[in-house]
Amino acid sequence: MAKPDKVAAVAEIADRFRTSSATVVTEYTGLSVSQLSQLRRALGTSAKYRVAKNSLVKRAAEDAGIEGLDDLFVGPTAITFVEGEAVDAAKALRDFAKDNNALVIKGGYMDGRPLSVAEISKIADLDSREVLLSKAAGAFKAKLSQAAALFQAPASQVARLAAALEDKRKAESGDAAEAPAES
C-alpha cells in the first residue's frame, strides 16, 4: 500500500512535469549542500531544482504523460523544472557543471519530446529572450531611421532646388537692373 507522503510527492512531481516548459535531469553525486544551494540561486526563480527518488520520478513522469526519460532515472537524480525560459536554466546548469564536475547533465524534456545532452547544450548557447528582443528592436529602429532619411531626402532636395532657383532669379534680376544703370 502506498504511503500518503509518497503519493503526495508523486502528485507534486507530476504536476511540475505538466506545468513546466522544460525539464533537465541531472546527477548530483559529490555536490555538497552549499553547492546545491549555490546551484539553486544560479537557477533563480524561473526554475526549481528538485532531488527525488527515481521510483517516484518514474511514476510521476508516467502520470504526467512524459515518455522517453526512464533511462535517465538511474543513480542519484535531480530534476530542474523550468517555469520560464529554457535558455536561462540551461545556461545556469551548463555554467555550474563547468565549474563543478560533480554535476552531470543527463538529458531533458521539452515540447513533448526527450532532449539529449547535446540539445540542451545548444539551447544554452542561444541568446536569452531579452537579448533577442533587444536585437530585433535595434534592427527595427535602424530600418525605420533609414526609411525616415529616405523619405526626407526628396523634400530636402526640393527645398535646396527652390533656394537655388530663388538665388538665380535674384542674381538675374540684379544683373538686369545693373545693365540699364550702367549705360
Side-chain angles (χ1 to χ4, degrees):
M1 181 159 226
K3 293 183 180 178
D5 57 338
K6 289 185 179 180
V7 171
V10 168
E12 181 205 348
I13 295 169
D15 186 51
R16 292 226 187 234
F17 271 120
R18 285 186 206 99
T19 60
S20 296
S21 59
T23 58
V24 180
V25 180
T26 60
E27 183 177 327
Y28 63 94
T29 304
L31 289 177
S32 67
V33 173
S34 65
Q35 288 173 319
L36 286 174
S37 296
Q38 183 182 3
L39 173 59
R40 285 185 173 105
R41 280 192 301 275
L43 288 170
T45 59
S46 66
K48 303 292 182 210
Y49 192 74
R50 168 84 193 255
V51 175
K53 284 185 157 185
N54 290 328
S55 59
L56 299 179
V57 175
K58 283 180 184 179
R59 196 169 298 136
E62 184 180 316
D63 288 352
I66 306 295
E67 296 177 359
L69 298 182
D70 288 344
D71 296 342
L72 303 179
F73 302 133
V74 178
T77 302
I79 303 174
T80 304
F81 295 101
V82 182
E83 297 166 0
E85 290 294 318
V87 173
D88 297 334
K91 281 183 190 206
L93 286 168
R94 179 197 60 194
D95 294 345
F96 191 86
K98 281 182 183 177
D99 296 337
N100 300 285
N101 293 333
L103 182 71
V104 177
I105 298 173
K106 295 180 174 183
Y109 192 85
M110 187 169 84
D111 293 335
R113 67 178 198 82
L115 298 173
S116 68
V117 176
E119 289 172 317
I120 292 171
S121 181
K122 286 180 184 177
I123 291 170
D125 291 337
L126 294 173
D127 288 331
S128 70
R129 183 174 191 268
E130 291 79 19
V131 170
L132 291 175
L133 288 174
S134 66
K135 284 182 179 180
F140 286 134
K141 182 180 177 187
K143 290 298 179 188
L144 288 174
S145 296
Q146 288 174 348
L150 183 65
F151 292 134
Q152 182 184 7
S156 65
Q157 287 175 345
V158 168
R160 285 194 302 270
L161 180 61
L165 284 174
E166 182 68 28
D167 291 343
K168 184 177 179 183
R169 284 191 186 148
K170 284 182 185 176
E172 287 177 355
S173 66
D175 287 344
E178 289 178 14
E182 290 180 15
S183 16

